[in-house]
Amino acid sequence: MVQEEPTDERHPDPQVEQQIRDWIERGHYPDADAVIRQALQALKDREATKFLQARALILAGLNSGEGVELTEELMDEIERSSEERFQRGEEPAPHVCP
């Protein structure tokens, strides 16, 4: 079996091309480059948001007081407590189950 050499040219699949054309035809963007720039900016913004959220959680953990060793007994207590909260219908904190 002969493998094709990869090329530097990349073309979106037909569905993506159609979505880009739709955005342009509706007047949301002047051309494909503008659509792609906006999509890349949205990805960059999403990654920055995820980074800031992770950073905030790490800082909250660091500032939450002295750490304790995660023993089997402590893990059992955490599981019991979680199950009790679940049985009462309490929602987990957003940082636990995003």
Side-chain angles (χ1 to χ4, degrees):
M1 180 183 206
V2 176
Q3 266 189 324
E4 288 185 31
E5 288 294 316
T7 64
D8 288 340
E9 276 190 64
R10 302 284 188 238
H11 298 283
D13 66 48
Q15 277 185 316
V16 172
E17 285 184 358
Q18 184 59 51
Q19 289 173 339
I20 291 171
R21 278 193 298 274
D22 289 346
W23 281 103
I24 295 167
E25 289 170 6
R26 288 189 208 135
H28 295 288
Y29 298 94
D31 54 37
D33 285 344
V35 175
I36 294 168
R37 271 194 303 277
Q38 181 66 35
L40 291 172
Q41 185 62 51
L43 288 170
K44 184 178 174 183
D45 293 347
R46 185 174 71 181
E47 290 300 311
T49 298
K50 287 169 52 177
F51 170 78
L52 292 173
Q53 289 171 337
R55 182 173 181 241
L57 291 172
I58 291 167
L59 289 173
L62 290 172
N63 295 326
S64 67
E66 191 172 332
V68 295
E69 184 179 348
L70 182 59
T71 62
E72 205 170 310
E73 292 79 21
L74 179 56
M75 191 64 201
D76 289 343
E77 175 57 32
I78 292 170
E79 288 176 356
R80 272 193 302 280
S81 175
S82 297
E83 181 63 26
E84 289 171 5
R85 288 184 184 127
F86 175 77
Q87 293 298 327
R88 289 193 299 262
E90 294 179 24
E91 293 287 326
H95 69 281
V96 175
C97 297

